C-alpha cells in the first residue's frame, strides 16, 4: 500500500461500504421528526441509537474482510490497546452528529478513515440525508460526489468570511479583533470540517472535546483540498495514540490558519 488513488479498488470498496452503512442508518432517519431507532444515553449524557450500533457492527465486519491486518477504533466499540500495535488502523464514527440524527436534522454523517503510522491515507465523510459524499486519498486530492473540491481562496478574515464555530469560541475570536459572519450550527464536526474543505465555510473550529473518530477522515479531506486541521500550535495531528482526545482545533485554508491561531492564542493569553 505504498500509494493509493481515487481509482484504486480499495478506495472504491471503502466508499461502497460507507454508502451501504448510510442506507442502514437512513432506514431509521425521519426528516424533521424523531428517529424510529431506540435511543439510549452514555455516561455523561450523550445519546446513542440502535442505528449507531448497527452501522458500527456492519462496518467492522466489512472492513475486517477488506483489511484483516488493520486495527479498529470506533466511538461505539469498546477500545482495545491492540490497535496501538498496528501499522494500519480503521478510525470510524458510525454516526457523527447522533443528536441531530435522532431529532430529524439532516446534517449528520458516517466518518471513516484508514490511518497509517498516525496519519490518514483514506478519508470518507458520507452524509446520506444530504446526499453528500466527501472522499479524500493521500496525495490524490479531495472530491465531493466525485467532483474535485478545494478550500476558499479568501486571504484574511473579514465581515464576509463564513465561520463555523461554537458560540463561545466565536466570541473569543471577536474579542481578539477578528471579524467574520458566524454561520448556523453544523451538528456534525466531520461535516463542519468538510465544509471548510469544499469552500462552503472559510474556517471552522472544534472545542476541546473531539476524538480521533470525529476528525481523522475530515482531516485528510481538508488537507487534500488545500487546508489544514491543527491545534493552536499549528502542529500536524497524530492519530491512533493511547489518548484519542484532542484540544482546541482550527480548520482553515493554509493561508488563513496562522492568522487565526495567532488571534486565538492572543485571546487566551498564550505565548505567541
Amino acid at each position: 500500500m505504498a500509494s493509493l488513488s481515487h481509482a484504486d479498488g480499495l478506495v472504491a470498496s471503502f466508499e461502497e461500504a460507507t454508502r451501504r452503512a448510510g442506507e442502514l442508518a437512513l432506514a431509521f432517519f425521519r426528516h424533521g421528526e424523531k428517529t424510529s431507532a431506540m435511543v439510549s444515553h452514555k455516561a455523561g449524557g450523550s445519546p446513542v441509537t440502535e442505528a449507531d450500533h448497527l452501522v458500527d457492527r456492519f462496518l467492522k465486519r466489512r472492513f475486517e474482510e477488506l483489511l484483516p491486518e488493520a486495527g479498529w477504533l470506533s466511538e461505539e466499540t469498546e477500545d482495545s490497546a491492540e490497535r496501538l500495535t498496528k501499522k494500519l488502523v480503521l478510525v470510524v464514527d458510525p454516526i457523527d452528529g447522533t443528536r441531530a440524527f435522532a431529532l430529524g436534522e439532516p446534517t449528520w454523517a458516517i466518518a471513516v478513515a484508514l490511518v497509517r503510522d498516525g496519519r490518514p491515507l483514506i478519508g470518507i465523510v458520507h452524509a446520506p440525508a444530504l446526499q453528500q459524499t466527501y472522499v479524500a486519498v493521500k496525495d490524490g486530492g479531495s472530491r465531493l460526489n466525485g467532483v474535485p473540491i478545494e478550500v476558499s481562496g479568501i486571504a484574511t478574515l473579514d465581515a464576509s468570511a463564513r465561520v463555523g464555530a461554537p458560540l463561545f469560541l466565536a466570541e473569543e475570536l471577536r474579542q481578539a479583533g477578528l471579524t467574520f459572519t458566524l454561520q448556523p450550527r453544523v451538528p456534525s464536526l466531520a461535516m463542519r470540517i468538510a465544509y471548510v474543505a469544499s469552500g462552503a465555510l472559510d474556517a471552522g473550529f472544534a472545542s476541546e472535546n473531539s476524538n480521533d473518530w470525529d476528525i481523522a477522515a475530515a482531516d485528510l479531506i481538508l488537507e487534500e483540498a488545500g487546508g489544514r486541521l491543527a491545534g493552536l500550535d499549528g502542529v500536524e495531528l497524530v492519530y491512533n495514540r493511547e489518548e484519542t482526545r484532542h484540544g482546541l482545533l482550527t480548520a482553515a485554508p493554509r493561508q488563513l490558519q496562522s492568522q487565526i491561531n495567532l488571534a486565538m492564542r492572543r485571546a487566551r493569553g498564550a505565548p505567541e
Side-chain angles (χ1 to χ4, degrees):
M1 201 178 296
S3 63
L4 292 170
S5 73
H6 282 273
D8 193 282
L10 183 64
V11 177
S13 294
F14 267 51
E15 183 175 353
E16 187 271 339
T18 307
R19 288 180 178 275
R20 286 280 308 280
E23 293 171 4
L24 294 175
L26 272 179
F28 296 91
F29 180 71
R30 302 289 182 268
H31 279 275
E33 301 177 6
K34 291 183 179 180
T35 179
S36 63
M38 291 189 300
V39 181
S40 58
H41 291 82
K42 307 175 190 178
S46 60
V48 61
T49 75
E50 63 177 306
D52 291 79
H53 293 301
L54 180 63
V55 168
D56 187 63
R57 290 192 300 269
F58 170 80
L59 289 176
K60 190 171 190 297
R61 183 170 62 250
R62 183 70 182 102
F63 288 138
E64 282 177 346
E65 295 171 355
L66 291 170
L67 285 175
E69 71 273 25
W72 178 260
L73 174 62
S74 166
E75 182 175 14
E76 307 306 343
T77 302
E78 184 177 355
D79 196 10
S80 168
E82 182 185 8
R83 66 178 170 80
L84 299 173
T85 68
K86 303 289 188 178
K87 184 180 182 70
L88 291 171
V89 178
L90 288 149
V91 181
V92 173
D93 194 338
I95 297 180
D96 183 51
T98 296
R99 197 179 304 274
F101 171 86
L103 294 175
E105 300 176 27
T107 311
W108 51 273
I110 298 167
V112 171
L114 177 63
V115 169
R116 181 176 66 188
D117 295 331
R119 289 295 300 167
L121 284 177
I122 300 172
I124 300 175
V125 174
H126 175 51
L130 297 174
Q131 297 184 335
Q132 295 177 2
T133 307
Y134 297 81
V135 181
V137 178
K138 180 65 178 173
D139 298 325
S142 293
R143 298 178 180 180
L144 168 56
N145 293 347
V147 178
I149 57 173
E150 61 182 19
V151 295
S152 163
I154 192 170
T156 186
L157 284 187
D158 57 24
S160 68
R162 302 154 299 169
V163 170
L167 288 174
F168 77 93
L169 286 180
E171 184 58 30
E172 284 190 54
L173 287 167
R174 286 173 171 147
Q175 289 174 358
L178 293 180
T179 58
F180 52 87
T181 300
L182 185 64
Q183 300 299 291
R185 183 180 70 93
V186 180
S188 160
L189 178 54
M191 288 295 289
R192 191 184 312 160
I193 298 167
Y195 284 165
V196 179
S198 70
L201 289 176
D202 296 303
F205 295 83
S207 55
E208 294 97 334
N209 61 358
S210 60
N211 285 276
D212 283 8
W213 48 79
D214 299 304
I215 61 175
D219 183 347
L220 183 63
I221 291 166
L222 178 59
E223 179 181 59
E224 290 296 320
R228 188 169 176 82
L229 179 69
L232 297 187
D233 57 7
V235 175
E236 184 176 73
L237 301 179
V238 177
Y239 301 102
N240 193 37
R241 307 163 304 163
E242 183 175 359
E243 175 55 63
T244 64
R245 190 175 293 271
H246 298 264
L248 175 66
L249 301 174
T250 62
R254 291 191 182 98
Q255 72 272 13
L256 277 186
Q257 194 175 59
S258 60
Q259 173 196 356
I260 294 169
N261 283 356
L262 178 59
M264 185 60 81
R265 289 197 298 270
R266 285 175 176 165
R268 296 194 161 195
E272 297 183 13

